[in-house]
Amino acid sequence: MIPEPALRPAAGRGPGLELCHTSRLHLDGTDLVLHTRRRSLRLPVGAGGITRAVFVDVPGADRERMGPPVTGSWGEVQLQDESGALRGWFDIEDWLPESPALPKRSVQGDQLLSRTGVSALCKAAGIPLHVVRSANNPKVAKKNRRRGSVRLGRGGDFPAWYWATRLAAGGVWFTAFTVIVFSGSLSPWLVVPSAVAAFVAPVARLVLRLRTRMRLRRYDPVVRERVRPAPADGLGATVRFRRDTELRVQDRDLVLRYVGGQEYWLPLTGPHALTTLVLVRDRTGAPVGAELRGPGEELRAVLPWDEWFGGTVGTSRTSGWARLRKAAGAAGLRATERELSGKAAWPKHPALGADPLPASPRAARRVSRFPGTVAGVSSTAVMALASYFSIAWGMRMQDTHPAAAPAVIALGALGAVLQAIPYLAHQLHSRLRLDRPADPAPDRPSVTVT
């Protein structure tokens, strides 16, 4: 069992969901230990190893791509030795579970260190932790000094074999495509390898989908309590919302799951664990929501009342607060209440869970489809073009190379079909079932482990 305090990764979905199960950064004796899907790495602490940590509280620049830009870092933590040389480093948002749900840099400084557990981890390891707000501060190790250091990230959403396959296939296809375009030659020795490479990309993506589904189905955590939403009428709750949204109390974590498949793992043990469940009422006494708070009453997540408890659960008359108190008891949280003053907005600041319902069925389909790579829509566009060129070249080769042409056309057509099937299946299943209005959920007894 991994000792606390242990840093938990940012929420993931699809193949990245496995990181929530496996990735941790923690202290083991006198070593900092990083566990990811692929490796286990140890860094010594103390003389000859890490002697200080520096949190560079500076935002990183956004990275451009085809489609929405990839947002920059929220800041990084550097682990240095006695001479100030870098031994390891990580983007702090990698270890803030709710970072994908929050506006960039909505949490900063000491509060960010507390939420992630970095401050507790450094304290347990006896590592002095410094906070600087300029990349030019003398305590900051420059990027050209990163040679020999290691990034302590949570791991990539996509496994290494998938990247290797896609890069190899892409390299072969681009090379063949370039020679064909500039030489004008449709030799089978060029066209066939390009068609095979174009076919490999959608096959690799389909294999990744199937492998991800199988691995996640095999994951069977011990669940002490489970709370599913009972939304009020008129909110537009769908079958997908009722099926996929839940709060789970596990052995050491409270997990919030939403319609996109994202899971946010918040600790229930250790110095940065959740401590309190708060029922929030307006001035009339009507509940508006519940809050999950950590040390120092720091807000970690919210459960809007209408979306979670405004309706009924089948024929059950159990109130939402009673269901929550039962979950809080299983999680070891203190349950309290508070009343909003005046017409204050709730929640006052951006918080995980504030908008659990997607704005529209279209938005729900977008966030719940299988995630793409950092390349965004350009990756799908290149795969589609590659299949198109295979078909076009194959048709042009029918007179000059009749033996190879049918195979090239078949590879291009089959590659296009393999790309289209997952998309069409997702769209049809969503439109015909998952994005339709939900009926009141039947009674579902909580899974209780004694």
Side-chain angles (χ1 to χ4, degrees):
M1 181 177 292
I2 293 177
E4 298 290 351
L7 275 56
R8 287 155 175 81
R13 66 188 185 93
L17 181 55
E18 190 178 348
L19 303 180
C20 296
H21 309 160
T22 59
S23 295
R24 296 292 185 272
L25 182 61
H26 65 96
L27 182 69
D28 181 15
T30 59
D31 293 338
L32 279 180
V33 181
L34 171 70
H35 287 292
T36 66
R37 176 166 46 197
R38 292 189 300 134
R39 62 175 178 166
S40 182
L41 177 70
R42 305 180 75 92
L43 292 178
V45 175
I50 298 168
T51 58
R52 76 173 183 182
V54 178
F55 174 37
V56 188
D57 194 11
V58 178
D62 291 353
R63 291 176 287 164
E64 295 295 330
R65 70 173 183 184
M66 185 182 294
V70 180
T71 56
S73 171
W74 289 31
E76 69 177 29
V77 173
Q78 298 187 349
L79 304 173
Q80 304 173 2
D81 61 18
E82 298 96 331
S83 65
L86 204 58
R87 301 298 297 271
W89 63 279
F90 57 86
D91 290 333
I92 198 165
E93 66 180 298
D94 273 0
W95 299 104
L96 177 65
E98 60 265 41
S99 63
L102 299 178
K104 180 182 175 184
R105 301 279 294 168
S106 58
V107 184
Q108 301 179 36
D110 293 337
Q111 188 183 49
L112 187 53
L113 294 172
S114 174
R115 282 198 189 197
T116 55
V118 170
S119 55
L121 183 62
C122 288
K123 182 178 180 180
I127 302 172
L129 177 58
H130 307 273
V131 180
V132 300
R133 292 180 171 82
S134 171
N136 297 320
N137 190 288
K139 289 188 175 69
V140 178
K142 304 305 178 185
K143 289 187 176 180
N144 59 7
R145 299 180 66 186
R146 287 187 175 173
R147 182 172 299 175
S149 67
V150 60
R151 179 175 180 178
L152 303 174
R154 68 187 185 102
D157 286 346
F158 294 84
W161 68 263
Y162 179 72
W163 283 115
T165 302
R166 290 292 303 273
L167 288 173
V172 170
W173 184 85
F174 184 76
T175 300
F177 174 82
T178 302
V179 175
I180 291 171
V181 169
F182 283 97
S183 69
S185 171
L186 287 179
S187 167
W189 296 106
L190 291 172
V191 177
V192 172
S194 73
V196 172
F199 177 70
V200 164
V203 169
R205 179 178 287 186
L206 191 60
V207 170
L208 177 62
R209 285 173 174 267
L210 296 176
R211 184 173 181 271
T212 297
R213 178 171 293 185
M214 292 175 60
R215 290 175 70 90
L216 292 180
R217 281 184 175 178
R218 287 199 298 265
Y219 181 71
D220 187 23
V222 175
V223 179
R224 296 182 176 179
E225 200 70 41
R226 194 187 305 268
V227 177
R228 298 186 184 273
D233 295 337
L235 293 181
T238 61
V239 173
R240 188 197 305 275
F241 177 74
R242 282 192 177 274
R243 186 195 71 171
D244 293 346
T245 306
E246 67 176 7
L247 179 151
R248 297 198 308 265
V249 178
Q250 298 181 181
D251 276 349
R252 306 177 67 190
D253 302 89
L254 185 144
V255 180
L256 283 165
R257 178 182 172 86
Y258 292 103
V259 294
Q262 304 94 332
E263 290 191 0
Y264 300 84
W265 289 46
L266 306 178
L268 291 175
T269 58
H272 63 307
L274 296 175
T275 58
T276 312
L277 174 70
V278 183
L279 174 64
V280 182
R281 301 182 183 273
D282 62 20
R283 296 188 68 182
T284 67
V288 296
E291 299 172 340
L292 291 165
R293 294 183 173 271
E297 295 303 306
E298 185 176 47
L299 182 63
R300 296 297 303 270
V302 297
L303 305 173
W305 197 261
D306 286 345
E307 287 86 342
W308 278 87
F309 308 107
T312 59
V313 183
T315 59
S316 174
R317 296 184 179 180
T318 305
S319 70
W321 184 227
R323 294 167 61 204
L324 273 177
R325 286 179 67 94
K326 185 178 180 182
L333 304 180
R334 180 170 56 95
T336 65
E337 300 185 22
R338 75 178 182 92
E339 183 178 298
L340 294 176
S341 58
K343 296 182 179 180
W346 182 89
K348 187 175 181 180
H349 302 291
L352 168 62
D355 298 304
L357 272 170
S360 66
R362 182 179 180 182
R365 289 192 292 274
R366 184 177 64 251
V367 300
S368 60
R369 67 191 179 198
F370 196 78
T373 65
V374 70
V377 297
S378 59
S379 176
T380 301
V382 169
M383 285 200 302
L385 282 173
S387 295
Y388 165 78
F389 279 115
S390 294
I391 297 173
W393 289 335
M395 295 179 69
R396 289 172 57 189
M397 292 170 58
Q398 290 185 91
D399 292 335
T400 56
H401 301 91
V408 172
I409 295 173
L411 287 172
L414 187 55
V417 168
L418 292 180
Q419 292 178 64
I421 285 178
Y423 173 79
L424 292 176
H426 173 70
Q427 290 289 320
L428 289 173
H429 190 211
S430 297
R431 293 172 185 270
L432 297 179
R433 172 164 171 73
L434 297 183
D435 292 334
R436 301 180 72 85
D439 295 325
D443 287 335
R444 292 177 180 174
S446 298
V447 178
T448 305
V449 176
T450 57

